Amino acid sequence: MQISLALMLAGSAFVVSAQSNAPSSPAPGQAPAATPPAAATPGPQAPVQAKVAMCIGCHGIPGYQATFPEVHKVPMIAGQNAKYIASALTAYAKGDRKHPTMRGIALPLGDKDIVEISEYYAGLAQVEAVPATVEAPADVKKLLDKGACASCHGANFSKPIDGTYPKIAGQHADYLYVALKSYQIQGKPYHGRSNAVMAGQVKQFTHAELKTLSQYLASLPSELRTVPQSRFR
């Protein structure tokens, strides 16, 4: 998402109240002081469409690929849990998730901006809930059980036990692979994710096993979508 962050600030202004030090009564022969203007109130907040304009350039294009830290499809976020999107944006802003572009996007956002953006994308894809998934192949089931994936992400990997956890069923395999690997990375200034639970889980897997998990999860029915949007509304 390389769109200028200035788009986030369009339509929102803050006016400083005027202050007057005029005496309460005029001196003899002096005209009464002008009444100071009333304090101005903040202008209207930017509509959510303006706030998500910076997101559309990546997340609103089906099949769009990012190139950092390696080539992969950007994640589908339409239909994702609002609390998870908010948690992810906050983590990028704090540096718990290291990604130069996403950090630049998240840093200027206020709490209200994050809530509105998250709720917007959570409701953007209106699809039927996916059914419980069938039993995974034996080799994949062994890996899923080893990582206790369903204990957080739900039996069908689309109904997490907590809204701050993501739906992962049907997400792009290459994105899942990159995301899982990022929890194994330590000490890199621009790449990696800090999450004690996920770090503890993924460290038990080889990259080949993480790729197997990612490909299986991506093959499942999904509530996630990429909804095409025009940035020129």
Side-chain angles (χ1 to χ4, degrees):
M1 299 187 294
Q2 306 298 327
I3 299 177
S4 170
L5 295 179
L7 288 171
M8 275 301 303
L9 303 179
S12 181
F14 298 89
V15 182
V16 178
S17 298
Q19 301 293 324
S20 173
N21 294 319
S24 58
S25 60
Q30 183 179 8
T35 302
T41 56
Q45 291 292 312
V48 69
Q49 287 81 5
K51 297 180 181 183
V52 302
M54 60 185 177
C55 309
I56 293 171
C58 292
H59 294 284
I61 302 176
Y64 188 83
Q65 295 191 125
T67 58
F68 179 87
E70 59 190 77
V71 176
H72 63 88
K73 293 182 182 67
V74 298
M76 293 179 281
I77 58 175
Q80 185 59 270
N81 293 327
K83 288 184 178 179
Y84 167 73
I85 298 174
S87 176
L89 287 171
T90 301
Y92 283 120
K94 290 182 176 180
D96 293 335
R97 288 190 176 194
K98 299 175 183 177
H99 190 289
T101 300
M102 284 304 304
R103 180 170 170 79
I105 293 293
L107 269 175
L109 299 176
D111 292 342
K112 182 178 180 181
D113 298 325
I114 289 176
V115 169
E116 289 185 354
I117 291 170
S118 302
E119 291 179 348
Y120 174 84
Y121 275 105
L124 190 58
Q126 299 296 328
V127 298
E128 293 185 7
V130 300
T133 56
V134 296
E135 190 76 3
D139 58 333
V140 177
K141 185 178 184 304
K142 184 177 180 180
L143 296 177
L144 292 168
D145 290 344
K146 181 180 178 180
C149 304
S151 65
C152 289
H153 296 284
N156 59 7
F157 304 103
S158 285
K159 292 292 182 291
I161 64 170
D162 186 279
T164 59
Y165 302 149
K167 302 175 184 181
I168 54 177
Q171 184 61 271
H172 298 307
D174 51 1
Y175 166 75
L176 289 173
Y177 179 54
V178 168
L180 288 170
K181 286 193 300 180
S182 70
Y183 291 108
Q184 295 179 330
I185 295 172
Q186 301 292 327
K188 297 287 186 181
Y190 302 114
H191 181 35
R193 296 184 181 184
S194 298
N195 181 293
V197 174
M198 286 301 300
Q201 296 299 333
V202 299
K203 70 180 182 181
Q204 6 178 27
F205 296 105
T206 66
H207 284 183
E209 289 173 329
L210 292 180
K211 183 171 286 188
T212 296
L213 283 171
S214 300
Q215 291 172 341
Y216 171 73
L217 291 168
S219 72
L220 299 176
S222 182
E223 297 176 10
L224 305 175
R225 297 289 188 274
T226 297
V227 178
Q229 298 167 271
S230 171
R231 69 184 71 174
F232 302 110
R233 290 189 173 187

